[in-house]
Amino acid sequence: MSRADRNERIGLFQSGGVSSQAVGVWLHESSAPTRHYIADIGQSDRAEVNALASSLRAFGAEVTFVDLRPSMAAVASDLLRYQARHDGGYWNTTGAARFVLVSELAPLMRADGCQAFAHGCVGGGNDQRRFARYGAQVAPELSVIEPWTIPQALGRFPDREAMLKAVVEHDLHLDRGSGAERSTDANLAGSSHESAELEDLETPVTRLDPRWSEWPRQTAAEPETVTVTFRDGRVADVNGSGPDPVEWMTRANDIGARHGIWLRDVVERRIIGTVCRGIYEAPGLELLDHAWTRILQTALDAAGRELYDRMAAVLGSAMYEARWLEPAARAARDAIDRLVGEVSGSVTLSVHRGVVHVEGTKVADGVVQQTRFGSGGNRWSEAPLLSTTGGGSDA
């Protein structure tokens, strides 16, 4: 829509970043009745999220807080199960967050009497399209306000420096990864990093300031052993975490972050056909991927793995392009579910200064294993693959 209708009640997706905070200021100055919806999707600790809510209430805003960590963890589990990655192995953590936010908050906005929703995403970018596509599917009766395509909003805030000035003047609590020259979009599955400096392809990635993680050179001198257990094609435990996805995702994030296993630096092809540099931090998914890849290799035959990889590519594009709810994506998930729905086992990893080695694998059922030296070295023998140990590296 071209502007915010003063008589239309608006639900604002409020992340605490400088852009969404500035949208809140603009709507307030426009006298548009607005409620800020803050979701805890694992982007920060609860104290940070509470500080954001408190500053908005002090500003005079209506605020609704929702704990969406379980929903975010469930989608992170899907990203792993379906290997739903984009160019260069990016785990689609930002696209996944948009799916969670719209799916969970748009119906709540509608129930609260909102006629429209607004967000602070960059005009002409991927996220603008993601919000629009999921909004049309989940809550089509809500119109969409895209402030950074609206002349009045752009006139008030021509750049991020002006946004930051207003946020500071109103004493609004700002996410620590957001500023005039920097943006960090974070959730339980991972975070993206953007800045004027990092957009330059000649800038070394080491100029990045990670949100959670350590660089390999900063990590402990001694390796750590991690055992990941899978049941029916999903993570069931990470070093004693138990099966709760929030718990095992948090545990995996902590391990990957402190051992320097987290980084993807890619030049990605975007929805509108352009390319841009993307720098992503996903310590938990990067760690768990080593274990899940080994399970897939032991549990699926050649034809099954080929089909899995084809469907994974479909799902990687679907999450990136906000087509996760469309028929092709549903069919691809059904196909992978048939392939891995009964796959169980465990993988023991050694993690050390950015490197992951597979130390041992146990599978409840899998492809028949063929050995030579276990049969004397002069003939091959076959046996059900119940366990393999040592020797391998998925680093």
Side-chain angles (χ1 to χ4, degrees):
M1 62 185 297
S2 61
R3 63 185 178 86
D5 189 330
R6 293 187 180 186
N7 296 317
E8 189 172 48
R9 184 169 176 79
I10 300 165
L12 173 61
F13 291 91
Q14 181 56 261
S15 69
V18 66
S19 185
S20 60
Q21 296 272 38
V23 171
V25 172
W26 174 67
L27 291 172
H28 177 78
E29 293 174 349
S30 301
S31 299
T34 304
R35 175 170 283 274
H36 295 239
Y37 290 80
I38 300 172
D40 183 352
I41 53 176
Q43 69 273 35
S44 301
D45 60 39
R46 184 57 60 84
E48 287 288 307
V49 179
N50 290 341
L52 169 61
S54 295
S55 71
L56 286 167
R57 292 189 177 104
F59 173 63
E62 298 179 18
V63 176
T64 292
F65 166 79
V66 184
D67 184 358
L68 295 184
R69 289 175 302 162
S71 296
M72 193 68 236
V75 176
S77 178
D78 281 348
L79 293 179
L80 182 68
R81 176 182 175 93
Y82 303 121
Q83 293 278 284
R85 296 182 289 189
H86 191 54
D87 275 3
Y90 162 47
W91 281 101
N92 275 317
T93 57
T94 303
R98 303 304 178 241
F99 170 66
V100 170
L101 290 171
V102 178
S103 297
E104 299 286 349
L105 294 183
L108 183 58
M109 292 175 180
R110 181 179 56 204
D112 287 343
C114 295
Q115 290 88 43
F117 70 72
H119 57 78
C121 297
V122 176
N126 285 339
D127 284 326
Q128 178 184 327
R129 288 162 174 77
R130 289 167 179 150
F131 273 104
R133 284 177 179 168
Y134 285 135
Q137 292 176 307
V138 173
E141 65 276 21
L142 296 180
S143 58
V144 183
I145 298 172
E146 299 167 339
W148 308 131
T149 65
I150 299 174
Q152 295 93 324
L154 291 171
R156 174 66 176 90
F157 294 114
D159 52 37
R160 288 178 67 90
E161 288 186 3
M163 297 180 196
L164 181 61
K165 181 180 178 182
V167 171
V168 172
E169 286 177 350
H170 289 290
D171 199 26
L172 296 172
H173 185 83
L174 193 64
D175 181 90
R176 58 189 171 88
S178 189
E181 292 293 329
R182 179 187 177 197
S183 176
T184 301
D185 190 280
N187 60 71
L188 190 63
S191 64
S192 65
H193 295 270
E194 297 177 345
S195 72
E197 182 180 38
L198 294 175
E199 286 180 347
D200 186 343
L201 297 180
E202 294 190 4
T203 299
V205 72
T206 49
R207 298 295 296 270
L208 173 70
D209 181 18
R211 187 179 182 94
W212 305 299
S213 305
E214 301 287 347
W215 291 100
R217 65 181 180 275
Q218 301 170 325
T219 60
E222 297 300 319
E224 180 176 355
T225 299
V226 185
T227 298
V228 183
T229 302
F230 296 91
R231 186 174 300 116
D232 297 330
R234 292 191 183 275
V235 177
D237 185 86
V238 177
N239 268 14
S241 67
D244 183 343
V246 174
E247 295 299 324
W248 60 251
M249 193 71 232
T250 300
R251 183 72 56 86
N253 278 333
D254 290 344
I255 296 169
R258 69 172 175 262
H259 287 283
I261 303 154
W262 55 274
L263 175 65
R264 293 278 173 168
D265 177 10
V266 302
V267 178
E268 67 188 64
R269 288 163 288 192
R270 296 170 64 80
I271 292 174
I272 61 173
T274 59
V275 298
C276 76
R277 187 183 194 179
I279 300 178
Y280 302 101
E281 182 178 0
L285 289 173
E286 290 292 340
L287 175 73
L288 295 170
D289 179 51
H290 290 275
W292 181 233
T293 297
R294 177 54 66 93
I295 288 288
L296 290 174
Q297 286 300 109
T298 59
L300 298 182
D301 62 13
R305 185 59 196 268
E306 181 183 4
L307 178 59
Y308 177 98
D309 288 343
R310 289 181 180 179
M311 296 302 100
V314 170
L315 291 170
S317 296
M319 184 59 84
Y320 190 81
E321 298 175 3
R323 301 187 185 280
W324 196 249
L325 298 176
E326 295 184 4
R330 292 180 186 274
R333 291 199 296 275
D334 286 345
I336 288 182
D337 288 344
R338 286 179 176 271
L339 289 170
V340 304
E342 297 181 358
V343 171
S344 299
S346 65
V347 178
T348 299
L349 305 171
S350 174
V351 294
H352 184 224
R353 292 189 167 172
V355 177
V356 182
H357 293 284
V358 174
E359 295 290 329
T361 307
K362 296 180 180 179
V363 290
D365 190 18
V367 180
V368 172
Q369 183 183 12
Q370 190 177 47
T371 61
R372 172 184 170 187
F373 282 89
S375 305
N378 60 355
R379 63 191 180 279
W380 289 98
S381 63
E382 296 181 353
L385 181 56
L386 299 177
S387 68
T388 65
T389 57
S393 172
D394 281 359

